[in-house]
Amino acid sequence: MTRNDFDVNSVKPSGSAPAQATLFDPGAEGPWRGSLPGEALGAPVTVLAYGTDRTGEGPRLHVHPYDEVFVVTEGRARFFVGDTVLDATAGQVVFGPAGIPHRFENLGPGRLQTIDVHHSPRWIQTDLG
């Protein structure tokens, strides 16, 4: 698919340098595989990797002062975002708005793996449950 959404001559480079860092060690154990603050890359987002093989397990209820996007890369999850309940499978994306308490859990069977994109150069969170 060819895209031509803007005139490339109308955009000035941001001045940011290309960067690379490690999000997680594929051999690491535990559900929190890793986090990468945007500050480490000079980027405006922080990325987390979460995964668990245990049905019903997931992060506790919490809230952020910024938006968050969850990318389900493997398995099935149930997301609780405020009063909304959303079931998502591999390949789907869930949006959690700033200031809305949220959590998710593995629906099973098998592994749940997510990439969580925090719209902040730092991970800022208050646990509620």
Side-chain angles (χ1 to χ4, degrees):
M1 172 172 75
T2 301
R3 296 188 59 153
N4 187 12
D5 296 332
F6 66 97
D7 177 1
V8 296
N9 296 313
S10 69
V11 178
K12 294 181 182 177
S14 69
S16 298
Q20 179 180 8
T22 300
L23 173 59
F24 65 91
D25 173 356
E29 296 293 325
W32 290 106
R33 303 288 298 279
S35 65
L36 179 60
E39 296 166 327
L41 293 173
V45 297
T46 293
V47 182
L48 280 66
Y50 178 86
T52 182
D53 295 308
R54 295 178 56 185
T55 300
E57 186 174 285
R60 70 182 88 188
L61 186 68
H62 61 277
V63 66
H64 307 287
Y66 48 75
D67 295 335
E68 183 174 9
V69 172
F70 306 91
V71 181
V72 179
T73 61
E74 183 179 347
R76 301 177 333 131
R78 176 161 291 148
F79 288 83
F80 302 87
V81 184
D83 293 332
T84 302
V85 178
L86 302 164
D87 288 351
T89 60
Q92 294 187 308
V93 176
V94 172
F95 176 66
I100 305 297
H102 57 273
R103 68 182 184 86
F104 62 89
E105 61 188 37
N106 183 0
L107 285 178
R111 184 163 187 78
L112 168 65
Q113 186 69 52
T114 67
I115 299 293
D116 309 336
V117 181
H118 292 236
H119 292 223
S120 170
R122 293 185 305 118
W123 182 4
I124 304 168
Q125 175 172 310
T126 295
D127 293 334
L128 302 173

